[in-house]
Structure formats: C-alpha cells, structure tokens
Amino acid sequence: GEGGVVRSGGDAGEDRGAGGAHVEPVGAEPRLAAAVGVPVGDLELGPALLGCADRDVRLQVGVALFAERHPDDTFRALPERSAEDKRMKLTSEVQLLRDNQQYQTAYDLLAEAFAASNPKDFELLYDQASLAEKLGRHADMERLLRQLIAGKPDYHQAYNFLGYSFADRNVRLPEAKALILKALESAKDAPFITDSLGWVEFRLGNTAEAIKILQTAYQGKPDAEIAAHLGEVYWTIGQRDKAIAIWKEGMLLNNENETLLQTLKRLRVKL
C-alpha cells in the first residue's frame, strides 16, 4: 500500500508496513484538549499529557496540540517519566514527519534511536524500512528487514513486507512467495498477508488462484488496497464490469488510498 508497502492503521499483525497511530488534525484541538483536561491553547501541557492514562489519546494530543507551535522541539522538550514516555515521543515525532513527507528526517531519527536502544528495539527497524521504501531505497529496505528477521525471526510482518515489496515490483517472485508463505505460518488467514499471496500469484501468472485468494482476503477485510488488487486481476482477464464494481467499493471504503488511486491512473480508468 501507499506506493507499494505501507498501510496506516489496522492490526499490527496484518500491517504490511509501519503505519503508526492515526493522528488527529490540529483542528481537533478542543476535543483532544478536553480528553486530558486542559484548556485549549495551553502551552504547558507536558504534565497533563504524560499523566493521561490513555496512551493513544496522549499520542494524539501530543501531535495535534504541539505540532505547529513547536515544530523543532515539539516532543523532545517533554519530560520522560518512563521508557514508554520516551517511545511515545519518538513515535509521535516520526508520525508527524511522515505526515509532512519528511521521510529522510524520520528515517535518520529512527536510525539514531535504534543505535541507542538497549536491548535492541527491532520494531524501529521495521518503521525505518518502511521509510526506506517511501524514499525508493529498496536495497536499504531489504537490508533493514533482513536485519530485523535475523534479530527477531518470529516477526512475521517483516517477511510479509519484504515479500510484498518484491511482488509489487515484479521481481524475485519465487522468493516473494516463499517469504509471504512464511509470514502466513505465523498469521494464518490474516487478510493483508493473504492479499500479498494473491498478488504474488497474479504476478506469477496464476490468475484463477489469485482471484480465489484475493476474494478470500477481501471478504476477511473489505479494504481499498485489496480492492485495488482484486479489481486489477479482473481487469486483466477482461472482466471489466467486475473490476469497476470492486474499485467503486474500494473508493467508498477509502477514496484516498494511494494503491487504488495509482492503479486507476496506471490503467487509465475513470470511475
């Protein structure tokens, strides 16, 4: 997804890449400020923010209320009462940078954090790999994912991420399929990984098998990216009406999904 791999939100066990938490826009200030019991516009939010029990709300408030006021030291200036606070700040800053397409800065920040982590926080490599993919640096992406797999062999998302990346670029397809099947051993029936398998079968020319697998994935989780893939297989074999119907469903699910939009543009389809 999103140009190849990353998909935001969703179950971490299913995610193809490092999407991170959903971040509220700054326009959500009043509701988010109320969530931690502080006045809108209060610049001294540190204690209230870190004292809030709901970690997701803390992250959202941290991003939404500080982002535009303190672009340079938004999160680093906050106090750290625990390792979780430190990680929350890192996650918030990386997500903000991603949202503003500052991929290289986010990549460097994660590299620095991983180097400093002890014991090694291998999830940081996963996030960094997703940014390498965004930057079009596929060799770096593969190196990071291989490092993650070596350090944490049961991290099935890394196998899926790498396998899907190969399939999406139409390279090393037998290896892609083996990696995705390895991921499915740990996450049987996970829709996004099943989608990866369907996509690699399509790339291998196994169209009937691809349709069957992608239909299963889409039934398991109606999602715009899976709709993009299933629709493209239908389109390729001449079942244009089915393709358009599934793409329309996908647009209703998420009309900003990059994979779906790119698919329609590449195939010159206007819904």
Side-chain angles (χ1 to χ4, degrees), residues 143-266:
R143 174 183 57 79
L144 290 161
L145 291 171
R146 298 281 185 200
Q147 187 180 349
L148 170 53
I149 287 167
K152 208 169 179 182
D154 60 344
Y155 202 85
H156 66 265
Q157 297 97 323
Y159 297 94
N160 181 55
F161 188 164
L162 186 55
Y164 177 80
S165 178
F166 289 156
D168 203 48
R169 288 179 284 136
N170 213 9
V171 298
R172 296 160 67 177
L173 296 178
E175 187 179 357
K177 184 174 178 179
L179 285 162
I180 294 163
L181 288 171
K182 176 75 174 171
L184 278 170
E185 287 176 13
S186 302
K188 191 176 183 295
D189 301 327
F192 289 137
I193 304 179
T194 302
D195 171 58
S196 298
L197 182 61
W199 195 232
V200 78
E201 291 289 10
F202 171 61
R203 294 297 204 196
L204 286 163
N206 303 326
T207 311
E209 184 68 10
I211 287 175
K212 189 170 79 172
I213 293 169
L214 289 169
Q215 283 175 336
T216 299
Y218 190 67
Q219 286 162 7
K221 186 173 182 66
D223 175 87
E225 183 160 331
I226 302 173
H229 292 152
L230 180 55
E232 182 161 352
V233 180
Y234 281 138
W235 186 267
T236 303
I237 62 171
Q239 296 189 25
R240 303 271 165 116
D241 290 346
K242 279 189 176 180
I244 287 169
I246 200 81
W247 285 331
K248 283 183 175 176
E249 280 186 24
M251 289 295 283
L252 288 172
L253 290 164
N254 180 2
N255 63 8
E256 295 180 353
N257 180 270
E258 201 169 321
T259 299
L260 180 52
L261 294 175
Q262 286 178 352
T263 299
L264 296 173
K265 183 179 179 181
R266 176 166 42 81

Side-chain angles (χ1 to χ4, degrees), residues 81-110:
R81 288 192 279 184
S82 67
E84 187 191 55
D85 289 343
K86 185 174 183 178
R87 183 62 190 273
M88 181 272 289
K89 283 162 59 176
L90 174 66
T91 303
S92 300
E93 188 165 5
V94 168
Q95 185 64 44
L96 181 64
L97 290 166
R98 288 182 69 104
D99 288 348
N100 288 281
Q101 287 83 49
Q102 295 182 39
Y103 302 128
Q104 184 62 55
T105 306
Y107 179 94
D108 293 340
L109 186 64
L110 287 166

